[in-house]
Amino acid sequence: AMEKDLNQNSPRIRKIRDNSYPPNTPTSRMNNNNQRDNHPNSPRDYNYSPSSPTARLRWRNRSNEIPAEVKRGNASNVRNLLLGDKNKYRSMWIRTCSSLWMLGGVFFIIYMGHLYIWAMVVGIQIFMAKELFFLLRRAHEERRLPGFRLLNWHFFFTAMLFVYGRILQQQLVNTVSSDRFIYKLVSGLIKYQMVICYFLYIAGFMWFILTLKKKMYKYQFGQYAWTHMILIVVFTQSSFTVANIFEGIFWFLLPAALIAMNDVAAYFFGFYFGKTPLIKLSPKKTWEGFIGASVATTISAFLFANVLGQFQWLTCPRKDLSTGWLHCDPGPLFRPEYYPLPTWIASFSPWKEISILPVQWHAFSLGLFASVIAPFGGFFASGFKRAFKIKDFGDSIPGHGGFTDRMDCQMVMAIFAYIYIQSFIVHQDYSVEMILDHISISLGHEEQKMLYAKLGDILRHKLQGGV
């Protein structure tokens, strides 16, 4: 009945058309200038489908699910940007309070050490997975598939055990507990980690096959593929993030701080100066905000590296819970190098030279990437949200949306930071410190005693002239 009533030739529509137009007025959807009729009672409010090819093309362009974007240079549309938003000050206050709360929590966790930062990353992953799993959730189908959502989380925690199992090395086991039973239990789990993960995945795979239902195949296989895509997106970036943490908290903190700086700078530059739209996927992103944030992030990278490099404990690969921060050599990257100032500056400056840490030049490269390339992770997330017709992935963080909204650029940055560190910073040649560190991580107490005895025998034979 509804479809019949909405037909353009139905009596109801014809009556509306006859009453809405004066005599001798064409009832076509397009006037002589090929402009759509804007009469308030015209049939345009119904499911109308023009017959001519030109009209159909224009109708599709107009009825697109993405609203009309702000046109460049059109002052009347500036209200869609932050510059013309009437509630922008209230939104800025909420966003600022949430940011300060998050900043304080992150600083506390960083002070606690590597394991606590790792736990924070795992917590963020769980929230991200929850938000992404919810996007394609259909209550009607899931009422007919009891336990199907539990299967998604089974795959999630199996992937978590596989990705992080290798990080639970022997030294971390010694740090967590000195109890003999727990020590053997966790050591055994680490030894057979890959086998355990494989059979857990196979169990989930069999579970999925056994729960397939007729007329539900398309939905179930779509959810299966969706689950694996989420695992790839979430765990790929997080595994690189955790790897950076155990290279030293500095290499986790600096890239994260650069992304946060770029986000804040883009917001404020767009807030006060934004007039020119940047990309249609994000209507409130402006060229003024993008360029201003790029300059601010690049300069901040140089300064952040100097400030963070003053704290030696940030360069340590780990923190022992029993003895505190391990004494480690920060390396040549964090030893200052002195450069003389130009004569025209030194003539009126109290300093004749400036000190620069070599790591600051590396930070400059990270800053360029964070300001130019990493924002495309945010644009990707914006397009993703447009596809599902949602404003944010969640509402866990007031003023910011969900955790996925905050981690979109961080995902791109974490992978680049890891690749950059391994390519240009970490030396491939082995040093005594690296070997000792690997021994302390990979070998248990008994193996370390055996190695100590073997090394003693070798040195004793060499001192006595033996082979």
Side-chain angles (χ1 to χ4, degrees), residues 61-87:
N61 291 338
R62 186 182 180 93
S63 62
N64 194 298
E65 64 181 22
I66 301 176
E69 308 295 348
V70 184
K71 294 183 178 180
R72 183 176 302 178
N74 191 346
S76 63
N77 286 327
V78 174
R79 62 179 179 274
N80 291 326
L81 304 174
L82 282 175
L83 189 65
D85 192 350
K86 295 180 180 179
N87 297 321

Side-chain angles (χ1 to χ4, degrees), residues 81 117 209 262 273:
L81 304 174
I117 302 175
I209 296 298
N262 184 261
F273 308 106

